[in-house]
Amino acid sequence: MAAPTNQELIDFVVREARLIDEHRLDEWLELFADDGIYWMPLEWGQTDPKLTASLMYEDKLLLTIRIERLKGNRTFSQKPRSRCHHVLQVPQVDKRDEPANEYLTYTPMHYVETRHDEQQLYAAWARHTLTVVDGKLKIKLKRVDLVNCDAAFGNIQLFM
Amino acid sequence: MSRYRGNVEAVRNLIRETEVHRDVYIDDEVFQLEMEHLFGNTWVYVGHESQVPNEGDYYGTTIGTQPVLMVRHGDDTVRVLHNRCPHKGTRITTETYGNTGKFFRCPYHAWTFRTDGTLRAIPLAKGYECAKLEESHAGAGMNPVKHVHNYRGFVFAKLNDVGPGFEEFFGESLSSIDNMVDRSPVGRLQVAGGVLRYMHNCNWKMLVENQTDTCHPMVAHESSAGTAIKVWDNAPPGAKKPMAVEIYAPFVAPYDFFEKMGIRVWPNGHGHTGVHHSIHSNYSAIPGYFDKMVAAYGENRAKAILDENRHNTCYFPNLMVKGPIQLIRLFKPISANKTLVESFTFRLIDAPDLLLERTLVYNRLINAPTSVVGHDDLEVYERAQEGLKVDANQWVNVGRLYEPGEQTDITAESNGTTEWQMRNQFRAWSKFMALSM
Ligand code: FES
Ligand SMILES: [Fe+2]
């Protein structure tokens, strides 16, 4: 792949959300680079993922554990299963750094997670740091900042 | 219809030797009585002094369902005040944290109060000349919580005059706080890293009981910790075990592991798991830490401090301390079927940053609303909260390893899968409920 076009970056982000909504989580995990990270900060404008708590800060191993767990027969918190739904704004390409092979997108979104009779709505900004590996776009970092990141939540079981 | 108010016998009858009536978890009136009596007559954790480091710093929280604020007064002591304006009831501070300077100023009519709560000034004071303000509730300013004790930085308060003094209430159980503080080479802790807040649709006591429920991890957490082990089994041979796997894996240790770890009970409902070893026992060493501890305490004492592996210490009614990983959880009751869980993490002053980092990994993986271990636990609590509606059986069983004539208010050690500590808590519940009814 030559440098991705803006449209390719946008399509990637849209497809990424769709894979989650369709429960195609093994395919979704493939979108991450080997050292890719999924980060959901706890603090407004958080800069430090190590010495400040986060809601999630997960490498591929931790993401794999989550995904395998969702398949488990004794995963009682997923009986019945949760479902989710993303509504994205059109992703904006914030930065293109071709020499460094790094592209940044910014996507405000609403995310709904449901289980039983409960439906929760979350508003967030997703920031993707993307890179091309072996001709394919991959996620180096997906950062999801919740508007109410410091609120007291019930279970959030899937991926935003 | 009031079934329990003013009826101390009815309240006592909710607790049997090995059984607890469901109303203890689901009845609104019992909940209200808990707030008045149990949370009034016991020493309840308010906050850590490092949350208000400078004069005028305040932190807003609750004792039971009563809003209070903790503030650093001019004489450097930490005070606890009821968070209410004596004039018309306005809550004085709305932010959880802040600095008020030398005095609080009510946003409604600008009455001002010193940081010990006393009334400083009111606008248009002349208009009160005949109203005998000095003799009224309002003239007393913001009411201080009368009984406050700062134990090595941990601030506790008791709302009512009845009930035991601080030392008598906690006794030897304070050794768990001591151990966590002593893990700092200079014997000081600081709240750090942010607080995780997790809303639970269940009764607060389900969480308290769960802290010493050692028969559930290998069952409920097979999904999370069990999966973590399975996934890690596919790692290339010789790969270094990540911190996350070290933290997850012991949650599904076999029964034998939990039986041998031991449980200790103390008077007044306190107790802890992990007398001999615990799920915290086998974490990798943090480079440079032990040397600092030896320099500070000498080798023997340093070893003794770090060999203590108490997993969960329950400070009755609603504080849980995990010394070896430097975090506390506070179970804040909201209603009979709603509880806010707040998890605070500590930096050990003068210890390597990697310790705080590990504390935060633990908190994120185990205690966050996004934590899969947390999902396992909350699922079973919520199912219990629902299941208790079944009229056919109105009793919860806590009889594991009960022996007839089991003593109350003693210090004792037992098999790590005993439910003695749960019974211990309910006997204390009964005692402190009845104290002022
Ligand atoms: S209510 Fe506080 S000054 Fe009037
Ligand atoms: Fe658990």
Side-chain angles (χ1 to χ4, degrees), chain A residues 40 42-43 49-58 61-62 64-66 68-69 74-80 115-116 118 150-158, chain B residues 193-199 219-220 222-224 227-228 231-232 242 244-245 248 340 347 353 356-357 360 364-365 368-372 374-376 378-379 383:
Chain A
M40 191 188 289
L42 178 69
E43 200 179 67
K50 303 257 178 191
L51 298 181
T52 300
S54 299
L55 289 159
M56 285 175 73
Y57 187 73
E58 310 228 328
L61 175 78
L62 286 172
T64 307
I65 291 168
R66 268 180 202 273
E68 291 306 310
R69 174 182 176 273
R74 292 193 179 146
T75 302
F76 305 112
S77 79
Q78 283 297 296
K79 290 175 183 291
R115 186 170 171 254
H116 288 299
E118 298 278 320
D150 44 9
F153 299 110
N155 279 347
I156 300 174
Q157 300 205 54
L158 301 177
Chain B
V195 48
L196 278 171
R197 303 169 70 234
Y198 195 171
M199 195 61 84
V219 182
E222 182 185 329
S223 102
S224 50
T227 306
V231 170
W232 179 246
V245 177
Y248 271 140
L340 173 62
R347 180 195 296 278
D353 273 353
L356 175 60
E357 192 178 328
L360 291 172
R364 194 170 76 228
L365 293 182
T370 38
S371 142
V372 286
H375 299 164
D376 295 336
L378 181 50
E379 176 66 17
R383 287 191 192 202

Side-chain angles (χ1 to χ4, degrees), chain B residues 262-421:
Chain B
I263 282 183
R264 182 179 284 129
V265 296
W266 286 300
N268 296 322
H270 317 302
H272 77 93
T273 57
V275 179
H276 308 293
H277 60 260
S278 80
I279 66 166
H280 303 302
S281 297
N282 288 320
Y283 296 157
S284 304
I286 302 282
Y289 175 48
F290 186 65
D291 295 343
K292 282 208 147 184
M293 289 293 283
V294 171
Y297 295 101
E299 183 146 355
N300 287 345
R301 174 106 177 87
K303 274 212 178 96
I305 292 168
L306 298 177
D307 281 350
E308 198 64 71
N309 270 302
R310 304 178 183 195
H311 176 197
N312 290 327
T313 299
C314 291
Y315 286 101
F316 190 72
N318 69 331
L319 170 68
M320 202 273 298
V321 171
K322 283 171 183 287
I325 195 77
Q326 298 93 49
L327 73 82
I328 62 172
R329 289 207 295 163
L330 197 55
F331 306 133
K332 287 184 164 176
I334 292 173
S335 63
N337 54 15
K338 198 164 190 170
T339 305
L340 173 62
V341 186
E342 290 185 337
S343 302
F344 291 90
T345 43
F346 292 90
R347 180 195 296 278
L348 298 171
I349 305 285
D350 207 27
D353 273 353
L354 194 54
L355 273 155
L356 175 60
E357 192 178 328
R358 181 168 69 191
T359 298
L360 291 172
V361 172
Y362 187 97
N363 212 20
R364 194 170 76 228
L365 293 182
I366 313 299
N367 300 327
T370 38
S371 142
V372 286
V373 170
H375 299 164
D376 295 336
D377 285 322
L378 181 50
E379 176 66 17
V380 291
Y381 305 148
E382 289 183 346
R383 287 191 192 202
Q385 194 74 32
E386 276 299 298
L388 288 173
K389 291 179 186 161
V390 170
D391 295 330
N393 173 2
Q394 308 197 359
W395 295 89
V396 169
N397 189 289
V398 288
R400 188 170 162 73
L401 294 175
Y402 171 76
E403 284 172 26
E406 185 173 87
Q407 282 175 278
T408 299
D409 278 347
I410 59 158
T411 297
E413 278 171 35
S414 184
N415 178 304
T417 61
T418 185
E419 286 170 346
W420 192 349
Q421 171 54 14

Side-chain angles (χ1 to χ4, degrees), chain B residues 109 111 121-129:
Chain B
H109 312 94
W111 290 24
I122 57 180
L124 304 171
K126 272 202 173 118
Y128 290 92
E129 269 166 6

